[in-house]
Amino acid sequence: LNKTLEKVSMQVVYRFRKTPWAIPFILYVLGFVIAGIGAGDAANAMLIPIAMSIAAVAGMHPFLGGISVLAGVGTGGFSPISVIGIFIRGLMEQVGKYPPEEANVYANHALLHAFVLFMIILLVAYFVFKGYKIKSPVMDKPEPLDKKQKITLWIIAGFVVLLLVPPILKTIFPASKAIKFINGNINVAFIAFIASIVAILTKVGDQKAAFARVPWATLTVLAGMGMLVSIMTASGAIKVLSDFMSNNVSAVAA
């Protein structure tokens, strides 16, 4: 809300203005990162106007700018700390009763599949709309971050580091009981709650306006889906459907 991520995005694009052919891929990466750190679909509203403004001054087809952002956001939404990624893991653990390790493996496969799918879409769009012919955009140097925006960026960085470092350390030191304990007790919601309190205490933005920007409709739909699947599981409907699929549908068709 305080324009931190928009300003960072413009600074990144500005740094790559002399390699215009790479701009669609830069927009993809920005979409992936911003959606992946928790913004989800809200990253579209932030980045598509930036993509359109760049398209106007660089001779880039506006569809290519939009697709680049949407592909990145579509992939980033599957990250372990974004809406869809959290939903997949929560559904598997709470409804399917899978252990967290299995839920993570499945959700990571979903992220990989999303990456492959959206990368194919991006590459097709890149060649169809001739991304390799984009001209160097004429841009004014973006303003530096102000104090509140720098604080916001540090809060986001701390949030991401706390969530990503323990799994990485576990991969490097699989035998360490301490690291395994820490990794097994990382709670996304709790860390996000602490980060939100820090943001409020440092007054980096209007908390009421930020609260209003939360995608309540999307969260309600996802929560409702989770509840309905729980009811189906408890009533035995999932088992009936699974048995039908197992006995009547081939693996290839499934």
Side-chain angles (χ1 to χ4, degrees), residues 25-242:
F25 299 103
I26 300 304
L27 291 172
Y28 172 89
V29 171
L30 287 170
F32 176 86
V33 171
I34 294 174
I37 61 175
D41 288 346
N44 285 322
M46 184 187 308
L47 290 173
I48 285 181
I50 293 174
M52 294 302 102
S53 63
I54 292 168
V57 296
M60 178 170 66
H61 197 292
F63 278 3
L64 177 57
I67 290 170
S68 300
V69 171
L70 290 166
V73 172
T75 308
F78 282 84
S79 87
I81 55 176
S82 198
V83 178
I84 300 174
I86 292 172
F87 177 68
I88 290 174
R89 286 165 174 78
L91 203 60
M92 290 193 69
E93 291 177 24
Q94 296 166 24
V95 179
K97 306 303 179 186
Y98 288 91
E101 291 77 12
E102 285 189 44
N104 279 330
V105 169
Y106 180 84
N108 288 336
H109 275 295
L111 173 60
L112 176 62
H113 295 161
F115 169 76
V116 172
L117 171 64
F118 283 111
M119 183 53 67
I120 290 171
I121 292 171
L122 174 59
L123 290 173
V124 169
Y126 186 83
F127 288 104
V128 168
F129 297 114
K130 300 178 180 178
Y132 48 86
K133 290 188 176 181
I134 297 173
K135 298 177 295 184
S136 295
V138 179
M139 300 173 64
D140 294 327
K141 187 175 181 179
E143 295 179 7
L145 299 177
D146 61 31
K147 184 179 178 181
K148 289 185 177 181
Q149 290 166 341
K150 287 179 180 177
I151 293 172
T152 305
L153 206 57
W154 277 111
I155 292 171
I156 293 172
F159 173 69
V160 173
V161 166
L162 284 172
L163 289 171
L164 297 186
V165 167
I168 292 171
L169 290 176
K170 184 189 172 187
T171 304
I172 299 172
F173 307 105
S176 173
K177 292 183 178 179
I179 292 174
K180 190 174 182 180
F181 174 79
I182 293 171
N183 183 64
N185 288 278
I186 290 292
N187 185 291
V188 176
F190 181 70
I191 295 174
F193 183 70
I194 297 299
S196 300
I197 290 174
V198 174
I200 291 170
L201 292 176
T202 51
K203 298 180 180 179
V204 295
D206 183 342
Q207 70 185 74
K208 290 183 179 179
F211 196 73
R213 283 278 292 272
V214 174
W216 296 112
T218 303
L219 295 175
T220 303
V221 169
L222 293 176
M225 286 171 59
M227 181 181 68
L228 290 172
V229 173
S230 297
I231 293 172
M232 290 177 68
T233 303
S235 66
I238 294 290
K239 187 176 187 306
V240 171
L241 183 61
S242 299

Side-chain angles (χ1 to χ4, degrees), residues 9-37:
S9 300
M10 288 301 294
Q11 288 180 352
V12 170
V13 172
Y14 180 78
R15 289 177 183 273
F16 283 89
R17 70 192 184 283
K18 293 183 179 178
T19 52
W21 61 267
I23 288 176
F25 299 103
I26 300 304
L27 291 172
Y28 172 89
V29 171
L30 287 170
F32 176 86
V33 171
I34 294 174
I37 61 175

